[in-house]
């Protein structure tokens, strides 16, 4: 068993409901390994430290436990996933300037950001994979696994929000893009 650390953020079924009302139910449903954040009305965040055989098992069991306590809660985000240069630098023990230099010196191989601009954003899993493969850096397995699963959870959540016909069109585009990899 390995300890995995991640955060799950949910929208409550009733946006006007006080999230504090769910704390006892969450503990009874198996979320006693999470710190619960209730700072925003209609939302709840749970920072887990969960033991499991895999990151996938840890994260999916945590989602199931939350949904047991709050059946109509909707997952908003799983983290760590979307990160900026400062986040990556902090996680890997670099300065932001060093991280930026690495990115700029390896523009051909460094993962493309999801959003470019004054604050670019990447999927953490892709950057960690780049560090492991391109820079031969040791990346803690637990962090790499969690980043991969949280990315998949967030992508699955976004896909589930698409209309069925749009989802079908997206899958066709994805198949076409796969030809160019």
């Amino acid at each position: 068993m390995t300890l995995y650390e991640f955060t799950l953020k949910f929208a409550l079924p009733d946006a006007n409901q006080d999230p504090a009302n769910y704390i006892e139910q969450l503990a009874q449903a198996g979320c006693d390994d999470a710190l619960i954040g209730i700072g925003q009305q209609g939302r709840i965040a749970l920072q887990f430290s969960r033991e499991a055989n895999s990151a996938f098992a840890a994260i999916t069991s945590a989602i199931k436990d939350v949904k047991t306590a709050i059946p109509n809660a909707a997952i908003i985000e799983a983290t760590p996933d979307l990160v900026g240069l400062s986040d990556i630098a902090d996680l890997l023990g670099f300065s932001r300037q060093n991280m930026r230099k690495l990115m700029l010196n390896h523009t051909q191989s460094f993962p493309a950001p999801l959003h470019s601009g004054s604050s670019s954003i990447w999927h953490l899993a892709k950057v960690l994979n780049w560090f492991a493969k391109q820079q031969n850096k040791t990346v803690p397995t637990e962090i790499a696994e969690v980043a991969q699963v949280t990315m998949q959870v967030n992508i699955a959540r976004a896909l589930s929000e698409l209309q069925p016909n749009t989802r079908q069109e997206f899958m066709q585009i994805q198949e076409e893009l796969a030809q160019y990899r």
Side-chain angles (χ1 to χ4, degrees):
M1 294 278 254
T2 303
L3 184 66
Y4 296 96
E5 295 184 359
F6 55 93
T7 301
L8 301 174
K9 299 173 187 175
F10 290 86
L12 299 175
D14 178 357
N16 296 318
Q17 198 161 25
D18 183 358
N21 295 340
Y22 291 105
I23 293 175
E24 186 63 34
Q25 292 164 289
L26 287 162
Q28 290 173 357
C31 297
D32 53 350
D33 56 351
L35 294 173
I36 301 173
I38 56 171
Q40 187 177 2
Q41 190 76 7
R43 307 254 171 138
I44 197 161
L46 296 96
Q47 183 179 357
F48 285 91
S49 292
R50 182 161 284 203
E51 284 190 327
N53 291 325
S54 68
F56 182 82
I59 293 169
T60 56
S61 69
I63 292 169
K64 180 181 176 188
D65 291 348
V66 171
K67 297 289 278 177
T68 297
I70 314 169
N72 295 318
I75 191 157
I76 297 171
E77 182 182 13
T79 65
D81 178 24
L82 302 175
V83 293
L85 280 182
S86 295
D87 301 316
I88 299 164
D90 289 346
L91 184 68
L92 296 173
F94 298 139
S95 68
R96 185 187 187 290
Q97 293 78 10
N98 188 32
M99 191 65 232
R100 181 167 166 70
K101 184 177 170 184
L102 273 170
M103 179 194 70
L104 293 174
N105 288 341
H106 297 90
T107 56
Q108 294 300 312
S109 63
F110 196 83
L114 289 174
H115 170 74
S116 295
S118 60
S119 295
S120 295
I121 297 174
W122 290 263
H123 280 295
L124 178 59
K126 293 187 180 278
V127 175
L128 294 178
N129 186 45
W130 179 84
F131 267 98
K133 289 185 177 175
Q134 300 291 323
Q135 298 294 299
N136 295 317
K137 299 284 184 195
T138 302
V139 174
T141 305
E142 304 81 38
I143 295 172
E145 282 184 55
V146 166
Q148 183 66 36
V149 176
T150 56
M151 178 179 71
Q152 292 170 349
V153 167
N154 291 329
I155 290 170
R157 181 200 51 79
L159 285 174
S160 73
E161 293 176 356
L162 296 176
Q163 296 296 321
N165 61 335
T166 305
R167 191 175 309 131
Q168 226 172 9
E169 291 172 8
F170 176 80
M171 298 306 282
Q172 288 173 338
I173 292 169
Q174 185 180 17
E175 287 175 18
E176 290 176 23
L177 289 174
Q179 297 173 22
Y180 301 106
R181 286 186 189 164

